[in-house]
Amino acid sequence: AQSVTQLDSHVSVSEGTPVLLRCNYSSSYSPSLFWYVQHPNKGLQLLLKYTSAATLVKGINGFEAEFKKSETSFHLTKPSAHMSDAAEYFCVVSPMNTGFQKLVFGTGTRLLVSP
Amino acid sequence: NAGVTQTPKFRVLKTGQSMTLLCAQDMNHEYMYWYRQDPGMGLRLIHYSVGEGTTAKGEVPDGYNVSRLKKQNFLLGLESAAPSQTSVYFCASSTPGRGNTEAFFGQGTRLTVV
């Protein structure tokens, strides 16, 4: 079985400071891991994904995440927050060896960015 | 490039009424999904389809039915709406893959049942 824990429901940062959104996962199989972003009243957009290639994954808008198997973590980071980064972020796990894309979502982290 | 389009975007229903949510995708994807999003619970899978004419239950299927008569469309039906079905509903689609393909999401349907 797969599960995802997003350790913070809300994260507040100032514009220009680093962002860290934490995610731990549990998976019976080698996982694929994703981060999706949801801006207010919008659908979900893929930020980045890990699929067993490089453990450091770069995504859109300057975000990146590092897969750490020993810590079962996939934390999302950005060196410098921008006001437009304010949104809800979802960590998602999917077992890699299934023919069906079974996505399991975390409960989300709301990122607040102040001027 | 429309991607995944959901209709309607907003709806208010009275308890006991029925309605159908329509999802259309123009990417020729095999897989389609319906999720619901509730505060503090992330997205939960209601039903999914791995191809035209096939559907299967997800994590929270009770009170919903689905149909996939055409590859590009996936319909979600509520036969007798209940206040517990107040939620934001998202449709998604993807290509077949071993768990590593991106799912594309619609913009959501905000449903309120009073």
Side-chain angles (χ1 to χ4, degrees), chain A residues 32 36 38 96 98-99 101, chain B residues 31 33 37 90 98-99 101 103:
Chain A
S32 291
Y36 279 85
Q38 183 182 26
M96 205 176 298
T98 62
Q101 180 80 340
Chain B
Y31 295 172
Y33 321 77
Q37 182 182 29
F90 285 98
R98 293 196 169 275
T101 57

Side-chain angles (χ1 to χ4, degrees), chain A residues 36-105:
Chain A
Y36 279 85
V37 61
Q38 183 182 26
H39 288 94
N41 300 315
K42 300 287 187 184
L44 282 77
Q45 179 186 17
L46 181 69
L47 271 181
L48 50 82
K49 65 179 180 181
Y50 164 77
T51 57
S52 80
T55 56
L56 183 62
V57 181
K58 294 187 183 299
I60 61 172
N61 300 332
F63 285 94
E64 62 181 36
E66 186 172 7
F67 174 71
K68 292 187 176 180
K69 186 175 181 179
S70 60
E71 299 176 9
T72 61
S73 70
F74 190 57
H75 301 335
L76 181 70
T77 61
K78 183 173 181 177
S80 176
H82 192 274
M83 294 296 291
S84 61
D85 294 329
E88 186 145 23
Y89 292 79
F90 292 95
C91 183
V92 182
V93 66
S94 177
M96 205 176 298
N97 64 347
T98 62
F100 162 61
Q101 180 80 340
K102 181 173 173 55
L103 301 177
V104 176
F105 284 77

Side-chain angles (χ1 to χ4, degrees), chain B residues 35-47:
Chain B
Y35 289 89
R36 60 177 289 172
Q37 182 182 29
D38 301 296
M41 301 189 75
L43 274 72
R44 293 179 293 168
L45 183 64
I46 304 171
H47 286 280

Side-chain angles (χ1 to χ4, degrees), chain A residues 6-55:
Chain A
Q6 291 186 243
L7 297 163
D8 306 293
S9 59
H10 293 81
V11 170
S12 296
V13 300
S14 298
E15 191 173 22
T17 64
V19 175
L20 170 64
L21 305 183
R22 298 182 294 165
C23 172
N24 286 105
Y25 71 91
S26 171
S27 179
S28 303
Y29 304 99
S30 296
S32 291
L33 292 158
F34 307 80
W35 276 98
Y36 279 85
V37 61
Q38 183 182 26
H39 288 94
N41 300 315
K42 300 287 187 184
L44 282 77
Q45 179 186 17
L46 181 69
L47 271 181
L48 50 82
K49 65 179 180 181
Y50 164 77
T51 57
S52 80
T55 56

Side-chain angles (χ1 to χ4, degrees), chain B residues 8-66:
Chain B
K9 290 186 171 48
F10 303 93
R11 184 73 184 268
V12 178
L13 283 181
K14 293 182 178 179
T15 298
Q17 285 185 320
S18 64
M19 78 164 293
T20 300
L21 282 66
L22 171 64
C23 176
Q25 53 95 3
D26 62 1
M27 296 173 283
N28 202 34
H29 285 167
E30 290 292 332
Y31 295 172
M32 296 187 74
Y33 321 77
W34 276 107
Y35 289 89
R36 60 177 289 172
Q37 182 182 29
D38 301 296
M41 301 189 75
L43 274 72
R44 293 179 293 168
L45 183 64
I46 304 171
H47 286 280
Y48 64 95
S49 169
V50 299
E52 182 179 323
T54 69
T55 63
K57 294 180 180 180
E59 183 185 357
V60 288
D62 293 342
Y64 305 95
N65 56 74
V66 288

